[in-house]
């Protein structure tokens, strides 16, 4: 039979283990901004907002803090959310060491109770939380309030100490919201959205399409996803309009111009879902009896011009003999072109060979 003092000790240990988070304390990353900033950031990232209201030095609140808020599973569940903490306590500061994403470690001073940058981070929201989230003038604590990315309340739990119940509420909100963006992905999405908008504004629809695709690769829902989808459709419409314009020029007898525009479109949309379709369209135009002869002649001019540029580079580099040999090739292969005429003028002896 256990002695009374041993019974009390055993009971104390059991209670301590019941209320303490498994594996030691864990500290959710707390968003440092206010409610308006959190809502704006959540909307951009399509992220759920998790708001904890914990009153200082009250038994039920302390139990919630120990059993839910500072449990490792709760920390993991809130890792991709905008997590806000409302607490009216003042605590001593402490120094902690953190590992950055790049592997470096830093030491910083934080609130010893919640590991916020300071107690001011969790204190300053106390009155605002009451104003925004009271029910008929009552603000019971502890509370877990979960908002969707658009700011609408998904659900709340009051006095609920069951960790699984709290985690389920957060999981259901995430499911309703859809995938969120990490801070790194948000930076990529913003940058690529700006690039896409610039290309679209300049009429570079293929480049815009590629940039919008990079946005879609990072998003599955949210405002950036919707804008990117609309941007892709606009880019495709721009492609169709450009093709119609090129084909109209071909029909009007502006064969070189129409064909050149189709070639440029092919280069611009390389690697896209339209690449094969466009290549087929271009081949059909190049084989069309109405355009074939003119296009082939123009292509020969382009090829000859490329050779002439190489010859000029050799001349400028004082490589006269190499330049003359390449000029002979140019005259032999593309004798009827303008580039060949320039080669003959530059190297008169070619005509006597």
């Amino acid at each position: 039979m256990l002695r009374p003092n041993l019974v009390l000790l055993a009971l104390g240990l059991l209670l301590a283990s019941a209320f303490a988070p498994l594996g030691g304390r864990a500290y959710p990353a707390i968003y440092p901004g206010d409610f308006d900033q959190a809502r704006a950031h959540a909307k951009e990232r399509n992220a759920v907002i998790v708001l904890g209201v914990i009153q200082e030095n009250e038994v039920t609140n302390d139990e919630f803090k120990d059993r839910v808020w500072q449990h490792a599973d709760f920390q993991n569940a809130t890792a991709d959310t905008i997590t806000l903490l409302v607490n009216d306590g003042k605590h001593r500061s402490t120094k902690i060491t953190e590992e950055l994403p790049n592997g470096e470690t830093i030491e910083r001073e934080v609130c010893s109770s919640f590991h916020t940058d300071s107690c001011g981070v969790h204190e300053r929201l106390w009155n605002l939380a009451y104003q925004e989230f009271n029910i008929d003038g009552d603000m019971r604590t502890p509370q877990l309030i979960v908002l969707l990315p658009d700011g609408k309340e998904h659900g709340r739990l009051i006095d609920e100490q069951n960790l699984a119940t709290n985690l389920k509420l957060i999981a259901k909100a995430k499911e309703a919201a859809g995938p969120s963006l990490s801070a790194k992905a948000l930076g990529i999405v913003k940058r690529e959205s700006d690039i896409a908008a610039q290309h679209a504004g300049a009429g570079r629809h293929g480049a815009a399409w590629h940039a919008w695709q990079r946005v879609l690769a990072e998003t599955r829902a949210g405002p950036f996803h919707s804008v990117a989808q609309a941007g892709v459709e606009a880019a495709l419409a721009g492609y169709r309009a450009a093709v119609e314009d090129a084909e109209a020029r071909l029909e009007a007898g502006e064969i070189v111009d129409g064909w050149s525009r189709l070639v440029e479109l092919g280069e611009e949309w390389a690697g896209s879902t339209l690449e094969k379709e466009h290549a087929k369209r271009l081949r059909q135009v190049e084989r069309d009896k109405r355009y074939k002869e003119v296009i082939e002649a123009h292509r020969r001019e382009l090829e000859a011009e490329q050779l002439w540029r190489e010859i000029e580079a050799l001349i400028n580099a004082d490589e006269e003999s190499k330049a003359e040999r390449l000029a002979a090739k140019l005259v032999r292969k593309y004798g009827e072109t303008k580039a060949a005429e320039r080669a003959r003028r530059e190297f008169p002896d070619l005509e006597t060979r």
Side-chain angles (χ1 to χ4, degrees), residues 45-92:
R45 287 181 49 194
N46 195 54
V48 167
I49 298 176
V50 175
L51 170 64
V53 186
I54 304 174
Q55 188 176 345
E56 192 71 5
N57 296 324
E58 194 279 325
V59 174
T60 307
N61 284 266
D62 288 342
E63 290 177 0
F64 175 79
K65 173 186 170 184
D66 290 339
R67 297 171 63 181
V68 177
W69 190 263
Q70 291 185 341
H71 195 287
D73 290 346
F74 187 85
Q75 181 190 52
N76 292 333
T78 57
D80 56 351
T81 71
I82 308 298
T83 306
L84 295 165
L85 172 63
V86 180
N87 173 264
D88 59 341
K90 291 184 183 296
H91 315 101
R92 64 178 178 81

Side-chain angles (χ1 to χ4, degrees), residues 244-313:
E244 289 178 6
D245 176 69
E247 291 179 341
R249 291 172 187 271
L250 288 168
E251 292 286 345
E254 301 172 20
I255 299 171
V256 170
D257 189 20
W259 173 81
S260 297
R261 288 170 185 262
L262 288 176
V263 171
E264 289 172 4
L265 281 172
E267 294 170 352
E268 187 179 352
W269 288 83
S272 75
T273 53
L274 294 175
E275 182 177 20
K276 290 184 179 180
E277 174 190 329
H278 187 83
K280 182 179 178 181
R281 185 191 304 274
L282 185 58
R283 286 195 299 271
Q284 288 174 339
V285 167
E286 291 171 345
R287 293 168 182 170
D288 193 309
K289 292 180 180 180
R290 295 172 295 173
Y291 316 131
K292 183 176 181 179
E293 185 176 338
V294 173
I295 291 173
E296 286 182 350
H298 180 66
R299 291 176 78 166
R300 287 178 62 78
E301 289 283 351
L302 293 178
E303 291 166 4
E305 288 297 331
Q306 176 58 40
L307 270 179
W308 175 248
R309 284 192 291 272
E310 294 175 23
I311 292 166
E312 284 186 315

Side-chain angles (χ1 to χ4, degrees), residues 31-43 49 82 84 124:
Y31 182 74
D34 59 26
F35 292 139
D36 289 338
Q37 292 170 327
R39 285 189 177 99
H41 196 52
K43 190 172 183 180
I49 298 176
I82 308 298
L84 295 165
R124 63 192 177 86

Side-chain angles (χ1 to χ4, degrees), residues 316-349:
N316 292 334
D318 292 327
E319 298 278 358
E320 287 288 329
S321 59
K322 290 183 179 179
E324 189 170 358
R325 285 198 297 273
L326 197 57
K329 177 182 177 181
L330 170 58
V331 170
R332 184 174 63 255
K333 192 171 181 180
Y334 303 101
E336 78 286 0
T337 64
K338 294 177 181 179
E341 292 177 11
R342 291 196 293 275
R344 292 187 186 100
R345 289 196 297 269
E346 183 70 28
F347 301 100
D349 290 345

Side-chain angles (χ1 to χ4, degrees), residues 97-227:
T97 301
E98 286 187 338
E99 184 175 338
L100 300 176
N102 62 7
E104 293 181 22
T105 57
I106 59 169
E107 188 178 80
R108 64 189 187 94
E109 197 167 283
V110 297
C111 158
S112 60
S113 187
F114 292 103
H115 283 198
T116 51
D117 289 339
S118 69
C119 289
V121 172
H122 58 70
E123 280 185 297
R124 63 192 177 86
L125 297 178
W126 186 264
N127 291 333
L128 289 173
Y130 175 81
Q131 293 168 14
E132 292 216 28
F133 300 106
N134 78 83
I135 301 175
D136 298 327
D138 186 22
M139 190 66 180
R140 289 169 54 191
T141 62
Q143 280 202 54
L144 187 78
I145 304 167
V146 180
L147 310 178
L148 295 175
D150 60 5
K152 294 180 181 177
E153 185 174 318
H154 177 76
R156 68 171 72 192
L157 296 171
I158 303 173
D159 299 334
E160 181 54 68
Q161 307 302 314
N162 186 290
L163 175 65
T165 303
N166 285 273
L167 297 182
K168 184 177 181 180
L169 176 61
I170 296 171
K172 288 291 185 182
K174 288 181 181 180
E175 184 180 343
S180 64
L181 287 171
S182 66
K184 180 180 178 181
L186 178 61
I188 295 172
V189 164
K190 283 185 172 182
R191 183 182 70 247
E192 295 299 335
S193 294
D194 288 343
I195 291 171
Q198 290 171 13
H199 284 312
R204 298 186 292 268
H205 301 295
W209 185 91
H210 284 292
W212 288 129
Q213 290 298 324
R214 290 191 288 273
V215 174
L216 292 176
E218 297 289 343
T219 62
R220 295 293 180 272
F224 284 106
H225 186 79
S226 299
V227 170

